[in-house]
Structure formats: structure tokens, C-alpha cells
Amino acid sequence: RLSVFNMIKTKDYCAYVVDVDGTLYYQRWMQIQMALYLLSYYLLRPHRIKEILILYSYRKLRNGNTFAEASNHEQLITQKLAQIYHRSEAQIQEIVREWILTRPLQVLFSARDQHLIAFLQKQSQDGKKVYIYSDYPAIQKCDVLGISADDIYWPDTSRISVLKPSSKGLEYILQSNHLRPSDVLFIGDRMEKDGFCAQGANVDYLILRRNRFSRWIQYKNLLKRGV
């Protein structure tokens, strides 16, 4: 399998499936900005400080594998958090929508990976297909990042209902676009999510380093290898 230690030429692929969070942008930089935003917001609202714990628990549950194969994973996570923190499901949904989906859009552009985005734009210009596949709603993120894709996928239940590392979502993308596993390179940032998902679908993958400087070194090595 393709990894940061075993590169093969990306020009051999006719399609790319690309993760969003931590891949199209540097997640740590955005997390730092959002942490400052959260602190400044809740220091003025100490009676609502528990909402930070709700957000932490939500990310932990969603990034884990407990609910990955469940088609109603979002409902199960919401119900669990409502029980733990004694809030209504509607309140949990509102907190998540505000801080996980909406407010990060304000700082997303400054954290984008310009090199990867330029690479994907070049592939599109050359007639290759680019598909976005995220565990979170991704249309608005792609708009902010300036990404133009042939299609954008996430667990919207109408097409894909599972979370990575389940390979079912990636297999759906392949089937619906008449692609063979050998046609595709999956680009992500986490082996335990993106890498295992690609392995399950028998697709080659490239795991990018999460640190900005480390990824820059990785890109330099890719260029040296003629990738």
C-alpha cells in the first residue's frame, strides 16, 4: 500500500478521493484558533462552560469506531450525550451545529493546504476526477477552501450512512462512478481512519503528515521521487 514511506507515481491514477479534515487543511492550526475562540466566548458565559465538554465528547465519540458501522450514528451519539449531560437532543444538536459545523468555517481558509489544493486543481484540469469524502458535511468547507470537485460525499444517509474506517462509503463511491480500485488514490491524514478505509476497499492510499512542516518535507520527498 502507498504510504509516506512507499511512494508511487500519482500520475498513474485517473481519480482521487480526498479526505477533508486534517487533509485539505491543517487541522491543528484551525484547532488552535477555535480553542481561543471557545475560551473567549465561554469566559463571558461561565454558566454554559459545560458545552465545551459536550463538544469534546462529541468529537471523541464520532472519531472513534464504536458507531462507525451504524447507519444512525449521529442519532446514537446525540442520544448518548443527551443522557450524559442531561440536555435535550435538540440542545445537543444546536451546540454541535454551531461549533462543529458553522463557526469553524470562519477560520478554515487560513488553515488550507495550498499545495494539495493546487495539485488537485491541476489533476482536474488534466481531465482526472476528484472526489471529496469526509465524515462530516463538506460542501460549505469545500466552498470556503476553493475546492472544485466532481462530487462531494459524506454520511448524508441518502448515499453513504457509515463513518470511516468502514470501507462501505468508499466502495459506494467507486461503484457509483464506475471506478476500479486500481483507478483511485485515496488521500487522507489518518491511517486509523483513511488508511484502513482504503485498505478495506483495496484502494491505494497516501497518508499525509498532519504537521505543516513535516508535510512540507513530505512534499519535497514526493517531488524528488517524481511523484
Side-chain angles (χ1 to χ4, degrees):
R1 286 288 166 261
L2 186 66
S3 71
V4 297
F5 306 107
N6 178 28
M7 306 299 183
I8 60 179
K9 292 185 178 180
T10 56
K11 66 182 181 183
D12 293 337
Y13 298 98
C14 63
Y16 299 86
V17 176
V18 189
D19 172 56
V20 177
D21 300 303
T23 302
L24 288 175
Y25 65 89
Y26 295 99
Q27 195 167 32
R28 182 56 56 86
W29 173 244
M30 193 192 76
Q31 287 173 340
I32 291 172
Q33 295 183 80
M34 287 305 300
L36 294 173
Y37 199 175
L38 277 165
L39 285 174
S40 63
Y41 182 87
Y42 284 106
L43 281 175
L44 298 175
R45 301 166 180 83
H47 60 289
R48 294 174 56 185
I49 198 73
K50 189 179 288 188
E51 291 178 11
I52 295 180
L53 296 177
I54 293 173
L55 292 168
Y56 172 80
S57 298
Y58 175 84
R59 291 299 297 266
K60 186 175 181 180
L61 288 171
R62 214 170 191 280
N63 290 338
N65 295 335
T66 304
F67 302 106
E69 293 282 356
S71 59
N72 62 335
H73 56 266
E74 195 68 24
Q75 180 183 1
L76 294 175
I77 292 172
T78 299
Q79 289 174 346
K80 187 174 183 67
L81 292 176
Q83 293 171 359
I84 293 173
Y85 293 101
H86 307 291
R87 301 289 185 95
S88 69
E89 291 182 29
Q91 288 175 317
I92 298 295
Q93 291 169 348
E94 178 58 31
I95 294 168
V96 168
R97 182 164 49 249
E98 180 73 12
W99 288 103
I100 301 294
L101 301 179
T102 304
R103 289 185 184 260
L105 296 174
Q106 300 174 18
V107 298
L108 196 59
F109 185 78
S110 64
R112 71 196 185 285
D113 182 343
Q114 299 179 62
H115 299 290
L116 178 57
I117 291 172
F119 169 80
L120 295 173
Q121 290 173 337
K122 179 63 166 58
Q123 304 315 302
S124 292
Q125 292 168 4
D126 290 344
K128 298 184 179 183
K129 300 295 185 180
V130 174
Y131 302 102
I132 302 301
Y133 178 31
S134 175
D135 270 348
Y136 293 88
I139 292 178
Q140 287 183 300
K141 289 180 180 179
C142 288
D143 287 343
V144 171
L145 291 168
I147 287 288
S148 178
D150 291 279
D151 209 337
I152 301 174
Y153 298 90
W154 71 96
D156 58 3
T157 69
S158 64
R159 300 185 298 179
I160 295 173
S161 60
V162 296
L163 298 170
K164 293 177 280 185
S166 171
S167 62
K168 292 178 182 177
L170 182 54
E171 288 166 352
Y172 173 85
I173 294 172
L174 297 179
Q175 293 166 6
S176 61
N177 292 288
H178 309 291
L179 294 166
R180 299 169 300 177
S182 59
D183 293 332
V184 176
L185 175 67
F186 193 137
I187 303 176
D189 71 306
R190 290 189 295 173
M191 184 65 207
E192 67 274 17
K193 285 286 188 177
D194 305 312
F196 291 166
C197 173
Q199 284 184 348
N202 200 32
V203 167
D204 285 333
Y205 57 90
L206 170 63
I207 302 300
L208 295 176
R209 300 284 176 82
R210 307 192 79 184
N211 175 272
R212 188 187 294 260
F213 180 75
S214 297
R215 188 179 295 190
W216 180 73
I217 296 297
Q218 183 181 1
Y219 285 152
K220 286 189 67 175
N221 290 333
L222 283 167
L223 289 172
K224 288 179 182 178
R225 293 169 182 261
V227 178

